[in-house]
Amino acid sequence: MLRYILYSVIFFIFSIDVAFSKEEAQTSPRQKVVELIKKGLSEWSKRDFESAEKFLVNAQVQALEIRDTQLYITSTNNLGILFNTKEEYFKSRECYQVVLDFVSEENVSKSRFLALLNMGISFRKSGDYEHAILYLIKTLEYAKNFPSGKELASCYNEIGTVKLQQKLFDEALEFFQKSLQIRERIGHKKGVAGSLNNIGDTYKKMGQIRKALDFYQRSLLIKENLGNKKLIATTCNNIGLLYIKLEDYELAKNNLRRSMSLKEEMKDKLGIVNTCISFGQLFRIQKNYTESEKYLLRGNRIVEEVGSLHLKKEIYKELKELYLTKKEFGKMTTYYDRYVEVKDSIFNVESMKSINELETRYQTREKEQQIEVLNIEKEAKANESFYMKIVLGVFLFSLLPIGFFAKQRQKTKILKEKVAASNNESTRLGMELHDSIAGDLSHLCRSMEKVNGDDTFVKQLRKISDQVRGVSHQLNMNAIANQNFRDALSDSLYLNHFPQNIDLQIHLPVGFELEDFEKKINLIRIVQELVNNSLKHAQASSIVIKFRKESKSIQFEYADDGIGADLNKIRKGNGWFNVQERAELLSGKIDIQTSPGNGLYFKLVV
């Protein structure tokens, strides 16, 4: 979050320095917009996001009224970064696209650079790494137009962050090192500290604790010279955690105390909670359960006040571990239940964000279509003239095809509504299954594990509980549709628990993606239906799934080596009707080949 606030402040300062001369700054309407942006950033720094959004939207509107393009771009870009912070990624990308539409590609400007960079960050934060890399590569090329090198270093740093989240550690280190070299050359101390910290994060995730510690300490020295208390406190906390891993508990304690002292001085409540968690871990490992409990309960009180779900999850997890170690199973069960409840709440919040984003996309598309229809009607009325009689004659002859198309349109509408209802019901069932049955099964498993954790029946029950949770995720099509296609396909087929005796091959070209979420949902549903048939009825031992793009079409091929079936019988089955309806909705062409003893081959061109 700090990174995005920093970008906002940098962007604002740049805009003021470049866009406004001293004479213009005295102009009342322009100065009013500048003040609105300042107020928005001020409210943002206080974490009052609603108020910040109101000020920035107001600035955006007033900038349009006075026809000041630069101020409009400034407020829009900052609004996009705010939406990123609020995890409203679709809204943030809409803002960045507005900026990109305003600023031509030929115009080398900081505004376009920041919009491209933030677009990549938005995709990265939403877990869409493929699109993040695509935008960051565009940003990389654009950044080469700036002589300072600062922009180029930022691009390398962001690409490294994506690679780190993808667990491509060698590539992450390569990009972080490139960023570090540029920042050292131009003397950008804060940037150098950030790059060193990121390299430390990478080595930490690689399990190379000594190397991670070295880079964290180098980063800390620079932050101390800069006097940035917040960054110092965060780094001290990270160093403390590394010393815990190295079992040097005294140095761990010293660093955590320093971190806590700075966070208390700044009244950084979220930071205090994080350090309370770190202290809880340290004292639990040292078997000082009284101190561990003291810090964790303090963190729990604060987190209840600030209401961060993610920090609640971490606190409950640590309290559960503490009481498990102390063999206080009653308290352990209480906090484990709270941990599961919060984890499920986070899942539901993310699902609702996905649903809202999908609805926003749908509504945007509907509005665009309505505008297009209105424009056509307007143009038609403008062209009305004495040719009306001729048009009327043509109209009479066209009644037959119009009737046909109207009937076809009605059929498509009914089919669309039916498929949409099926998707909505599937999603509803998935969420209910996740919140009720899966939760009850999990609670039952924990209760039985306390009595006899090694019992075969208990293990089987745990397996069933995991499978129910997996099925709930498979059913939630809104959550799946918000992922990139590869991850969506993986989750929908529950690949982590796919039968090991089945040879499953999935062929997806690098960068294969579908922007149309309806097309994505329907194709994934077709795959699920075919796989379900192969596993339950066809007795297949091998399944091959292929997707590829050719020109403007998408080609999907599916084959199994099962027992096959009579084609006429297949066409009478409910599963085939579902596949056929979805293919028809996509205006796709189907080719299906099967016979008894010869497996199944299915091809769909959309």
Side-chain angles (χ1 to χ4, degrees):
M1 184 189 76
L2 182 63
R3 185 187 295 121
Y4 306 127
I5 295 174
L6 178 62
Y7 284 155
S8 302
V9 175
I10 292 172
F11 183 78
F12 174 71
I13 293 171
F14 171 82
S15 302
I16 298 302
D17 287 342
V18 174
F20 312 112
S21 64
K22 289 181 180 179
E23 293 78 9
E24 288 176 325
Q26 300 302 317
T27 308
S28 180
R30 293 170 62 83
Q31 188 61 35
K32 188 176 180 181
V33 177
V34 173
E35 288 302 317
L36 285 170
I37 296 174
K38 283 182 178 179
K39 287 177 181 176
L41 295 175
S42 174
E43 294 300 303
W44 185 351
S45 66
K46 300 172 189 173
R47 297 186 62 82
D48 188 346
F49 297 142
E50 282 190 26
S51 182
E53 183 179 342
K54 286 177 183 176
F55 280 117
L56 290 173
V57 169
N58 199 358
Q60 195 182 34
V61 171
Q62 292 195 31
L64 271 181
E65 287 176 356
I66 64 174
R67 298 182 181 181
D68 192 309
T69 303
Q70 187 59 46
L71 273 175
Y72 178 72
I73 289 172
T74 302
S75 52
T76 303
N77 223 341
N78 280 313
L79 194 58
I81 302 167
L82 174 63
F83 285 134
N84 249 0
T85 307
K86 293 171 66 179
E87 300 181 3
E88 296 177 7
Y89 303 120
F90 183 67
K91 285 184 179 180
S92 73
R93 293 196 284 269
E94 280 186 325
C95 290
Y96 303 140
Q97 191 58 55
V98 167
V99 175
L100 294 174
D101 291 340
F102 260 86
V103 185
S104 66
E105 196 167 344
E106 293 75 22
N107 180 13
V108 179
S109 73
K110 199 68 170 285
S111 303
R112 185 173 183 83
F113 165 76
L114 285 175
L116 285 168
L117 182 68
N118 288 327
M119 190 77 89
I121 292 170
S122 176
F123 277 115
R124 190 252 301 166
K125 281 177 67 68
S126 64
D128 189 344
Y129 301 132
E130 291 184 20
H131 276 91
I133 289 293
L134 286 174
Y135 269 96
L136 290 173
I137 287 172
K138 285 183 186 177
T139 315
L140 194 64
E141 291 303 312
Y142 197 76
K144 292 175 182 177
N145 294 311
F146 296 92
S148 72
K150 195 173 181 180
E151 295 77 13
L152 192 61
S154 296
C155 289
Y156 284 138
N157 192 67
E158 281 305 323
I159 294 173
T161 303
V162 175
K163 298 295 182 183
L164 178 58
Q165 292 187 349
Q166 290 178 303
K167 298 183 180 179
L168 301 172
F169 299 126
D170 290 338
E171 292 182 42
L173 285 173
E174 179 185 346
F175 282 104
F176 287 143
Q177 290 286 2
K178 285 181 179 180
S179 175
L180 177 62
Q181 288 168 8
I182 294 172
R183 287 168 169 175
E184 286 180 331
R185 176 171 54 79
I186 64 177
H188 183 207
K189 290 184 179 180
K190 194 170 185 178
V192 170
S195 294
L196 290 169
N197 198 82
N198 288 336
I199 294 171
D201 287 341
T202 308
Y203 280 123
K204 179 183 176 182
K205 291 194 176 182
M206 292 170 72
Q208 298 184 31
I209 305 303
R210 290 287 179 187
K211 280 190 175 181
L213 185 60
D214 177 54
F215 280 96
Y216 279 153
Q217 288 174 332
R218 287 169 61 186
S219 176
L220 180 61
L221 285 174
I222 297 171
K223 290 168 183 174
E224 287 173 336
N225 288 332
L226 292 171
N228 191 315
K229 292 180 181 180
K230 191 172 183 69
L231 294 179
I232 293 169
T234 302
T235 306
C236 285
N237 190 81
N238 290 337
I239 290 173
L241 290 173
L242 290 184
Y243 276 124
I244 291 174
K245 288 182 179 292
L246 293 171
E247 298 182 4
D248 191 336
Y249 301 129
E250 202 56 40
L251 281 175
K253 207 175 293 181
N254 291 340
N255 278 278
L256 293 179
R257 281 173 180 159
R258 186 182 181 192
S259 175
M260 181 65 84
S261 176
L262 287 168
K263 287 172 180 177
E264 288 174 339
E265 183 182 335
M266 294 182 292
K267 298 180 180 178
D268 177 8
K269 291 184 177 180
L270 294 178
I272 290 170
V273 174
N274 269 314
T275 305
C276 281
I277 293 170
S278 301
F279 267 122
Q281 292 175 354
L282 170 62
F283 287 119
R284 173 171 56 80
I285 291 169
Q286 288 188 297
K287 297 183 180 179
N288 188 344
Y289 302 135
T290 303
E291 284 296 300
S292 177
E293 185 177 36
K294 182 183 80 174
Y295 277 102
L296 291 175
L297 290 178
R298 179 190 177 191
N300 189 37
R301 286 192 297 273
I302 298 172
V303 85
E304 291 291 343
E305 178 187 337
V306 297
S308 167
L309 285 177
H310 289 280
L311 281 177
K312 276 186 181 181
K313 186 183 78 169
E314 294 304 314
I315 282 283
Y316 294 153
K317 182 181 176 183
E318 285 303 317
L319 282 165
K320 182 263 295 181
E321 290 295 330
L322 171 65
Y323 292 124
L324 178 63
T325 307
K326 292 175 69 177
K327 297 183 179 180
E328 295 182 16
F329 298 117
K331 290 182 178 179
M332 182 273 289
T333 304
T334 298
Y335 282 103
Y336 187 77
D337 286 341
R338 290 182 186 178
Y339 168 75
V340 172
E341 184 182 343
V342 171
K343 194 175 179 182
D344 287 345
S345 296
I346 292 170
F347 172 78
N348 289 336
V349 167
E350 290 172 351
S351 295
M352 286 308 300
K353 283 180 181 176
S354 300
I355 292 168
N356 291 336
E357 182 168 324
L358 291 170
E359 286 178 350
T360 303
R361 290 182 189 175
Y362 180 76
Q363 289 167 4
T364 302
R365 189 176 303 149
E366 287 289 303
K367 286 177 183 176
E368 288 172 353
Q369 290 173 347
Q370 289 170 9
I371 292 168
E372 189 177 348
V373 169
L374 287 171
N375 288 336
I376 292 170
E377 289 178 353
K378 188 176 180 180
E379 186 180 345
K381 287 178 181 178
N383 292 330
E384 283 180 358
S385 64
F386 63 92
Y387 291 108
M388 183 57 70
K389 290 181 180 180
I390 298 173
V391 173
L392 184 59
V394 173
F395 173 74
L396 290 172
F397 281 104
S398 64
L399 280 177
L400 186 61
I402 286 174
F404 170 77
F405 287 122
K407 186 177 179 181
Q408 192 67 25
R409 186 175 179 181
Q410 181 66 16
K411 182 181 176 182
T412 303
K413 182 181 177 182
I414 293 169
L415 187 59
K416 188 173 182 179
E417 288 174 353
K418 182 179 177 182
V419 171
S422 173
N423 288 335
N424 290 337
E425 180 64 10
S426 174
T427 297
R428 186 188 66 78
L429 287 172
M431 293 179 74
E432 285 189 6
L433 188 63
H434 185 275
D435 294 343
S436 58
I437 298 174
D440 292 342
L441 272 173
S442 183
H443 180 76
L444 181 60
C445 287
R446 292 194 305 277
S447 300
M448 297 187 71
E449 281 169 348
K450 287 191 293 183
V451 179
N452 191 350
D454 297 327
D455 188 80
T456 305
F457 175 75
V458 176
K459 290 180 180 178
Q460 187 64 29
L461 190 62
R462 172 59 68 185
K463 183 179 178 182
I464 293 170
S465 174
D466 292 341
Q467 287 174 340
V468 170
R469 283 187 179 274
V471 170
S472 73
H473 284 270
Q474 283 179 294
L475 288 170
N476 193 332
M477 296 310 295
N478 286 313
I480 286 175
N482 200 44
Q483 300 172 291
N484 64 57
F485 191 83
R486 185 179 296 275
D487 291 342
L489 189 61
S490 174
D491 282 0
S492 68
L493 296 179
Y494 200 31
L495 291 187
N496 290 338
H497 294 272
F498 203 81
Q500 294 183 356
N501 61 331
I502 304 295
D503 178 22
L504 176 65
Q505 299 177 39
I506 298 176
H507 302 278
L508 274 177
V510 176
F512 183 90
E513 191 53 69
L514 296 177
E515 294 297 334
D516 188 326
F517 70 95
E518 288 182 353
K519 188 176 289 184
K520 182 189 291 186
I521 287 176
N522 286 310
L523 281 172
I524 285 174
R525 272 291 188 225
I526 289 171
V527 175
Q528 284 180 314
E529 197 70 60
L530 293 170
V531 170
N532 186 57
N533 178 73
S534 295
L535 296 179
K536 288 189 175 181
H537 306 298
Q539 302 173 29
S541 61
S542 173
I543 296 173
V544 178
I545 298 169
K546 289 183 181 179
F547 280 94
R548 67 177 184 273
K549 287 185 179 180
E550 287 192 4
S551 185
K552 294 183 179 180
S553 69
I554 296 165
Q555 297 202 12
F556 162 56
E557 292 178 277
Y558 181 94
D560 71 28
D561 63 350
I563 60 175
D566 186 326
L567 191 56
N568 292 325
K569 290 182 179 179
I570 285 181
R571 285 174 175 161
K572 293 177 182 177
N574 288 332
W576 169 252
F577 277 126
N578 291 336
V579 170
Q580 195 171 30
E581 284 181 343
R582 290 178 185 275
E584 190 176 339
L585 185 60
L586 296 172
S587 302
K589 294 181 180 179
I590 291 177
D591 176 24
I592 181 168
Q593 299 172 23
T594 184
S595 60
N598 291 314
L600 170 74
Y601 173 80
F602 175 93
K603 183 176 181 179
L604 173 64
V605 179
V606 178

